[in-house]
Amino acid sequence: MKRLFYSTNDLDDAELISDEVHKQGIDDQHFFVLSREDKGILSHRLHGGNSFDNTSLLATSKRAGVFAFCILALVAIIGVGLVDITMQNLLWLVLVCGVAFAAAKMLASIVCASFDSYFKDTFDRHLDNGEVIVIIDVTHDQSPKIMSQLKQHSAVSFIAESSNIESPIPS
């Protein structure tokens, strides 16, 4: 699935977008609004909150662990294929896998922290300007349809898209 991020001028626009994408099959579990106006989110019947700090919408640090595990598995598979399995070689393979995992986790964590920081700064800038952030999780099949529909709105601006792996919409 993809996660689409949009900004809009106010909660009225966000409610209009919510109604439109719900008609396209997007339910509340795949739609989230961020706004500095908590009471406004409730009065507009929107599913949302006021900051990223209380959500796991950006979970790239979790993805770093998945990436590191994939590197570990790759190194282990290659190692088993290249080395005769003896006790000494097995210990070396375990050591090499451990180092590969640690290095991949450290590198991915640094990259992911930078990514999260960039997204948070971008979204906070929009929120501080009184805008509303609309977050929509879509399947790859739904993505072109939803993006095309939202392009028709003059008050809606596309910010970014990412994966939603390991970062569910808060309930």
Side-chain angles (χ1 to χ4, degrees):
M1 289 188 80
K2 285 184 177 181
R3 175 157 292 160
L4 306 174
F5 297 92
Y6 289 89
S7 69
T8 189
N9 295 330
D10 55 40
L11 289 166
D12 291 334
D13 292 334
E15 186 174 28
L16 177 65
I17 292 166
S18 174
D19 292 342
E20 288 181 13
V21 299
H22 279 82
K23 288 177 186 173
Q24 299 296 326
I26 306 295
D27 60 14
D28 275 346
Q29 295 298 323
H30 296 98
F31 187 88
F32 196 79
V33 174
L34 285 172
S35 170
R36 297 286 193 235
E37 299 179 46
D38 276 340
K39 290 180 183 175
I41 289 173
L42 294 173
S43 69
H44 282 81
R45 306 177 336 244
L46 294 167
H47 179 217
N50 66 359
S51 79
F52 281 104
D53 299 332
N54 300 326
T55 70
S56 60
L57 289 167
L58 298 175
T60 53
S61 59
K62 289 180 183 177
R63 291 183 204 132
V66 172
F67 173 77
F69 180 77
C70 291
I71 295 297
L72 169 70
L74 181 64
V75 169
I77 290 168
I78 291 171
V80 167
L82 293 178
V83 198
D84 291 332
I85 301 298
T86 65
M87 186 53 82
Q88 185 177 5
N89 286 345
L90 188 59
L91 291 175
W92 278 108
L93 181 58
V94 169
L95 178 66
V96 168
C97 287
V99 169
F101 178 80
K105 175 80 171 169
M106 185 175 63
L107 179 64
S109 294
I110 291 168
V111 170
C112 291
S114 174
F115 181 81
D116 280 355
S117 177
Y118 168 77
F119 264 91
K120 284 181 181 181
D121 290 348
T122 299
F123 298 143
D124 279 336
R125 190 170 52 249
H126 283 280
L127 293 170
D128 290 344
N129 287 334
E131 297 175 38
V132 175
I133 305 295
V134 175
I135 303 157
I136 310 168
D137 284 349
V138 295
T139 63
H140 289 284
D141 295 344
Q142 292 171 317
S143 179
K145 190 175 186 180
I146 297 297
M147 291 178 82
S148 175
Q149 181 178 358
L150 294 181
K151 276 185 185 178
Q152 297 174 13
H153 290 276
S154 60
V156 177
S157 298
F158 177 77
I159 299 174
E161 80 177 53
S162 72
S163 167
N164 67 346
I165 296 172
E166 290 291 326
S167 56
I169 294 281
S171 37

